[in-house]
């Protein structure tokens, strides 16, 4: 059987988005699509390098982590934000690639890239939501480091 667990619940995510503006992509989705998006969000989140150890050896999800026994609220909120971005059609790899496009021509197919742009941290880490990234970053190994880039 394929694992389909995710962080939080569809009901909790519905409440989360019920209090937010511009949440139509979530509120208009079916329960099945919401579950798929939450699973996708969980996969992206679980690929990150978090501080600490899982609470149980046979635990499927990366959270909870010792000494916690529950998934932190910031992880659940991040999962909801990522899920909404996935429902909206955002694919981190494509978002990252399209950042450097400065010009695109359809006839004769010409695309120009600006490689001088600095990396967008959340996309580099395959998290399509900057808000979700800000929730997750303090939980990561080295997540409190500040990186300065001169333009």
């Amino acid at each position: 059987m394929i694992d389909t667990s995710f962080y939080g619940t569809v009901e909790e995510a519905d409440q989360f988005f019920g209090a937010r503006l511009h949440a139509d992509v979530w509120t208009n989705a079916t329960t099945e699509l919401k579950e798929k998006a939450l699973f996708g969000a969980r996969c992206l989140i679980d690929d990150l390098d978090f501080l600490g150890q899982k609470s149980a050896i046979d635990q499927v999800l990366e959270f909870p982590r010792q000494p916690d026994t529950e998934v932190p609220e910031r992880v659940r909120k991040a999962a909801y934000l990522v899920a909404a971005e996935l429902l909206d059609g955002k694919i981190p790899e494509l978002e990252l690639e399209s950042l450097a496009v400065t010009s695109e021509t359809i006839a004769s197919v010409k695309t120009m890239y600006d490689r001088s742009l600095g990396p967008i941290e959340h996309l580099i880490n395959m998290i399509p939501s900057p808000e979700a990234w800000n929730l997750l970053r303090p939980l990561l190994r080295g997540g409190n480091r500040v990186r300065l880039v001169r333009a």
Side-chain angles (χ1 to χ4, degrees):
M1 182 173 136
I2 296 174
D3 174 43
T4 56
S5 53
F6 43 80
Y7 295 114
T9 66
V10 171
E11 293 77 20
E12 187 179 283
D14 287 342
Q15 289 177 352
F16 175 79
F17 286 112
R20 295 175 67 96
L21 289 172
H22 313 294
D24 294 343
V25 70
W26 182 265
T27 56
N28 293 334
T30 65
T31 300
E32 181 182 5
L33 286 176
K34 290 175 183 179
E35 289 175 348
K36 287 180 180 182
L38 285 169
F39 179 73
R42 170 260 168 130
C43 291
L44 292 173
I45 290 169
D46 279 356
D47 280 344
L48 299 172
D49 187 18
F50 291 102
L51 293 166
Q53 301 294 319
K54 293 179 181 181
S55 292
I57 294 172
D58 59 347
Q59 176 177 316
V60 174
L61 302 175
E62 286 296 317
F63 287 91
R65 297 182 85 72
Q66 294 176 357
D68 297 330
T69 57
E70 294 185 15
V71 175
E73 181 181 16
R74 67 187 315 120
V75 173
R76 293 191 316 271
K77 285 182 177 179
Y80 304 150
L81 292 164
V82 171
E85 294 292 334
L86 295 175
L87 279 174
D88 201 26
K90 292 194 177 154
I91 301 168
E93 295 92 343
L94 297 178
E95 293 288 318
L96 185 60
E97 185 178 296
S98 69
L99 281 176
V101 175
T102 60
S103 170
E104 190 170 48
T105 308
I106 302 301
S108 301
V109 187
K110 175 184 170 188
T111 303
M112 295 178 65
Y113 296 91
D114 180 358
R115 300 291 184 202
S116 66
L117 293 174
I120 306 296
E121 191 176 30
H122 67 285
L123 292 176
I124 293 292
N125 289 285
M126 297 298 130
I127 300 297
S129 165
E131 187 178 357
W133 177 248
N134 286 334
L135 289 168
L136 295 169
R137 185 176 41 206
L139 304 173
L140 299 172
R141 294 184 200 281
N144 289 325
R145 284 189 220 135
V146 175
R147 188 176 63 127
L148 298 175
V149 178
R150 291 191 178 192

